[in-house]
Amino acid sequence: MELRTLEQVEKEIAETKAALNDVHGNETEVYARIVGYYRAVKHWNKGKRDEFDQRKMFTLEASKEYDITAADEPCACSAPAKITKAEEHPVMNTEAVSYEMYVRKTCPNCPPVKAFMANLDMAGRSIDVDTDEGLAEAGNKGVFAAPTVIFYNEAGVETARCHNVEELEAVVNKVAVTA
């Protein structure tokens, strides 16, 4: 093994830094699903491109914002959520949890969600987005699909959004385990 002097090491570092400053990359082409098939995003129309730019990637499990058990704590979205065991959560007052259910009369997916929510012992209300008032309220809350059920904790902070019975079961089971 050959020993190098400090001057040789510093020279190599300077050469590497100079080489890194002269790096030229290529444009990356991003493909995403649009209306049933994949296409390069740069070829999308303006409306679809704007919708794509607004998309956010997240997982329900890693998002503290959607933790139904988070009581009065503000969302620490910049920090990763700490996954805790159910027994570490304080007992939750399920009577203080409420929901808003956004539905349409012609929605084929709404009846099972309505039936599921009717069987819950939880305060809430149904909002018909076919009405002007319901549509305005849905727009203010960022609801883009029916059915959508938004859960709120004791402090009135949104804790979960569900769009089907499977998601509702997961949220309700989580509340039942922690209560």
Side-chain angles (χ1 to χ4, degrees), residues 3-151:
L3 293 176
R4 297 181 294 175
T5 65
L6 183 59
E7 290 81 25
Q8 290 172 326
V9 171
E10 287 177 352
K11 181 181 175 188
E12 288 178 23
I13 290 173
E15 289 172 357
T16 304
K17 284 183 178 180
L20 287 174
N21 287 334
D22 195 34
V23 172
H24 301 287
N26 295 330
E27 182 179 337
T28 303
E29 191 163 38
V30 177
Y31 282 77
R33 185 177 158 89
I34 179 172
V35 194
Y37 59 92
Y38 288 90
R39 185 172 179 192
V41 173
K42 70 179 181 181
H43 296 298
W44 289 6
N45 66 36
K46 182 179 178 358
K48 288 290 182 188
R49 179 60 198 225
D50 287 344
E51 181 268 331
F52 178 78
D53 291 340
Q54 292 177 9
R55 292 182 189 175
K56 295 179 182 171
M57 300 300 286
F58 70 96
T59 60
L60 190 61
E61 295 79 20
S63 176
K64 184 174 176 99
E65 180 179 349
Y66 290 95
D67 184 2
I68 191 87
T69 60
D72 297 326
E73 301 171 12
C75 175
C77 297
S78 59
K82 179 184 173 192
I83 305 299
T84 58
K85 296 178 184 170
E87 58 269 15
E88 293 176 355
H89 289 290
V91 174
M92 181 178 192
N93 181 2
T94 56
E95 294 174 1
V97 177
S98 63
Y99 70 88
E100 290 177 342
M101 178 173 51
Y102 294 85
V103 295
R104 298 187 68 193
K105 291 179 183 78
T106 58
C107 167
N109 300 320
C110 290
V113 170
K114 286 180 185 177
F116 183 89
M117 295 306 292
N119 292 327
L120 289 182
D121 186 25
M122 188 180 296
R125 63 188 183 112
S126 179
I127 299 160
D128 184 0
V129 295
D130 287 329
T131 65
D132 291 337
E133 297 83 17
L135 186 60
E137 190 169 344
N140 290 337
K141 298 280 177 91
V143 174
F144 299 113
T148 298
V149 179
I150 303 175
F151 289 93

Side-chain angles (χ1 to χ4, degrees), residues 155-176:
V157 176
E158 180 180 334
T159 56
R161 269 187 200 217
C162 302
H163 304 283
N164 56 46
V165 173
E166 292 79 20
E167 292 174 357
L168 287 168
E169 287 173 342
V171 168
V172 170
N173 289 339
K174 186 174 183 182
V175 171

